[in-house]
Amino acid sequence: MKLVKAGLAGLLLSRALAGAAVFFAGSVFAQYPDHPIRLIVPFVAGGGADAIARSVAPKAADNLGQPIVIYNKPGAGGNVGAVEAARSTADGYTLLYGHSGTHGINHGLYEKPGFDPFKDFVPVARLTSVPFMLVINPKVPANNVRELVAYIKANPGKVSFASAGNGLTSHLAGVMFKNITQTDVTHVPYKGAAPALTAVIAGETEFTIDTVINVLPQVRAGRLKGLAVLSKQRMPMAPDVPSISEAGYAGLEMEASDGIYAPAGTPKAVVDKVNAAFRQALEDKTTSESMVARGIFPVPGTPDDLAKHIAREFPMWVKLVKDSGAKVE
């Protein structure tokens, strides 16, 4: 009888302690955030990803009432920074800016990325969608995508496309073009988007497919000809360039996307609070108009929206890497 009473007393005590711990944790996170938040951007400062993160972070910080400090941690296509974020304390004070590379491409490109995008992170907030544009050297005899395809088929193996490097989105976009159009084109990798665009402008290669952010200034200057945006609709900042669906190749739709992630185990209350802050930042008129003017489209939504998006996109990117033959040991 004494053992039963002792066991019952122990059970009641353990439940009381557990309840107190939950209450304490809840009260602590109810005050979140009470000091600055670190946002790891696993790419170099000044690059496209860094620019997007810095465009939205200040307004999100205002909404949270605490600074969001950008911490650039580049290396291995974003893997180095992602690994650091994954190993951080799951308390909401370390977040990761991730995109199609960290949460897609790298897991087909690298044998050991060092993290699992589904198990090591919880999705917090989707940020933006950045469409790609197919551009050609103005001397190429084509005024639309069908004419470009016809030109390539009339010159098998003689037409090439430039990319920013093996396994990067501009390379994979070219692979998708090759697969969908069933054309024989040669891939020429360069060390970055700028050299790749310069090569097309100089006529070293005939075309490239890269994000609107990178190519639109060259199209506006007349140094490149835009044949199509790889999106469902035309873009307001390039209304004369048809969508890829209008061009007759709906299967070529492609976008670069990104989002905010937190280490696995981060409390839902914290995730929801950060999500609300970034969602409201993207809905801010000044922020959104500034982004759209540069070809960056805000996509505010719930954590579940981001989870569904990466679940959809992940297999596509990994397959494209496999089709490309690109590999990094």
Side-chain angles (χ1 to χ4, degrees):
M1 190 65 176
K2 288 181 180 180
L3 288 174
V4 173
K5 287 182 178 180
L8 180 59
L11 178 61
L12 292 174
L13 178 61
S14 65
R15 286 182 176 176
L17 290 173
V22 170
F23 175 79
F24 176 73
S27 63
V28 168
F29 287 116
Q31 304 302 315
Y32 172 87
D34 61 9
H35 60 271
I37 298 164
R38 182 176 67 146
L39 175 59
I40 295 178
V41 176
F43 308 101
V44 295
D50 181 68
I52 294 176
R54 291 179 189 275
S55 294
V56 69
K59 192 64 181 178
D62 289 344
N63 295 334
L64 287 167
Q66 288 290 340
I68 295 178
V69 181
I70 303 292
Y71 176 63
N72 294 98
K73 186 76 173 181
N79 290 345
V80 173
V83 168
E84 180 169 331
R87 293 174 180 173
S88 298
T89 304
D91 57 5
Y93 288 100
T94 296
L95 303 172
L96 173 72
Y97 171 94
H99 70 7
S100 304
T102 58
H103 285 66
I105 295 169
N106 291 3
H107 301 275
L109 187 61
Y110 290 82
E111 185 176 347
K112 296 179 180 179
F115 68 99
D116 186 310
F118 298 100
K119 294 180 180 179
D120 293 334
F121 290 101
V122 291
V124 176
R126 190 175 174 193
L127 294 183
T128 67
S129 166
V130 183
F132 287 74
M133 184 184 286
L134 168 57
V135 294
I136 62 173
N137 180 288
K139 293 182 180 179
V140 174
N143 294 308
N144 54 56
V145 180
R146 289 192 183 281
E147 289 182 3
L148 175 62
V149 171
Y151 174 73
I152 294 171
K153 289 186 175 181
N155 297 275
K158 297 179 181 179
V159 178
S160 61
F161 74 92
S163 83
N166 284 312
L168 300 184
T169 51
S170 52
H171 176 197
L172 302 184
V175 171
M176 180 178 278
F177 175 90
K178 181 177 181 178
N179 291 346
I180 296 290
T181 62
Q182 297 184 337
T183 48
D184 181 10
V185 291
T186 303
H187 170 226
V188 183
Y190 290 84
K191 294 182 179 179
L197 290 176
T198 299
V200 181
I201 292 169
E204 293 176 16
T205 63
E206 281 76 13
F207 73 99
T208 190
I209 304 174
D210 206 343
T211 60
V212 171
I213 301 173
N214 289 334
V215 304
L216 190 55
Q218 305 300 333
V219 172
R220 285 173 171 167
R223 288 187 283 268
L224 293 173
K225 184 191 295 185
L227 295 190
V229 287
L230 276 59
S231 57
K232 295 182 183 298
Q233 300 175 335
R234 296 192 183 205
M235 299 183 308
M237 71 292 300
D240 296 332
V241 181
S243 70
I244 198 67
S245 297
E246 291 177 283
Y249 295 92
L252 259 171
E253 289 173 2
M254 177 180 277
E255 64 177 359
S257 60
D258 54 12
I260 300 297
Y261 299 85
T266 301
K268 184 178 183 301
V270 171
V271 169
D272 290 343
K273 200 164 188 177
V274 176
N275 172 270
F278 276 94
R279 191 173 67 246
Q280 290 165 17
L282 293 171
E283 292 169 347
D284 176 74
K285 186 177 180 180
T286 301
T287 302
S288 62
E289 288 182 351
S290 173
M291 286 182 161
V292 171
R294 291 178 286 151
I296 307 166
F297 296 88
V299 190
T302 65
D304 190 52
D305 290 334
L306 177 57
K308 289 177 179 177
H309 178 73
I310 60 170
R312 235 180 3 251
E313 294 283 295
F314 185 87
M316 178 198 77
W317 288 118
V318 171
K319 182 181 184 303
L320 282 174
V321 173
K322 182 178 180 181
D323 290 347
S324 75
K327 204 73 181 173
V328 177
E329 300 301 330

